[in-house]
Amino acid sequence: MATVHRARISPLLPPTEWTLAEGELVERRGARIRRFPLADLRRLTIADGLARADFARGRMRIPARSFASGMRVERHDDTFIALTDALAAQGADAAPQVRLGQARPQAAEMVVWTIVLCGAGAVAVIGAAGLIGAWALGLALAARLVFVLILAAAALPWIERGRRITPN
C-alpha cells in the first residue's frame, strides 16, 4: 500500500505529492516527477516539521507545512508522520547503511556563532583601542560585547529544549 503526503511548498507552485511505494520515493510537482529508489538512501534526517532524505543522486526535502489559500499555512502532521515513519522503516530495510537521525537545532547553532563573533569582536575592539591609545574606551566597548556573550551563553542550555522528536 502506498503512503502519500501532499503539501504546497509555495503559493506560486503547484502542490507537491510524495508517494512511498514499491521501494521507491516519488516526488510529483505538476508535470515534474523525480524517483529515488530506497536502496540509494544514504541519510534520513527528521526535524520539527521537515524531513530531509539524502540519496546517492540527489536530495529531497519533505515539509509538514503547506500553503493554503493566500499566505495561510496549514500543518499536515498526520500524513507527514505516516510518510516519515514508513520511509524510515522501509529505508532501513532497503539500505542497511542508511543513517537515521535528527537535524541539529538551528537556533542553538546561531547562538554559538553569536558567542564566537562577540568574543572575536571584543578582542578586536580592545586591540584597535590599544593601537590608538584609547584603552578606557576599548575596555568599555569590549565589556558591552562580553556582556552580550555572557547572556547568550546563559540562554544556550534552554534553547530547543523539549522540541526534540523521538525516533520510532
Side-chain angles (χ1 to χ4, degrees), residues 62-142:
I62 305 169
R65 295 174 189 93
S66 174
F67 282 98
S69 60
M71 295 301 288
R72 194 173 51 105
V73 177
E74 294 178 335
R75 291 188 63 104
H76 299 285
D77 288 334
D78 51 346
T79 58
F80 175 75
I81 291 171
L83 179 72
T84 54
D85 286 347
L87 182 59
Q90 291 181 23
D93 290 340
Q97 79 281 1
V98 69
R99 290 186 290 175
L100 302 174
Q102 298 173 348
R104 293 185 309 164
Q106 298 279 333
E109 187 175 333
M110 291 189 311
V111 171
V112 168
W113 274 105
T114 302
I115 291 170
V116 168
L117 291 175
C118 283
V123 170
V125 166
I126 288 177
L131 287 175
I132 61 171
W135 287 102
L137 178 65
L139 284 175
L141 292 175

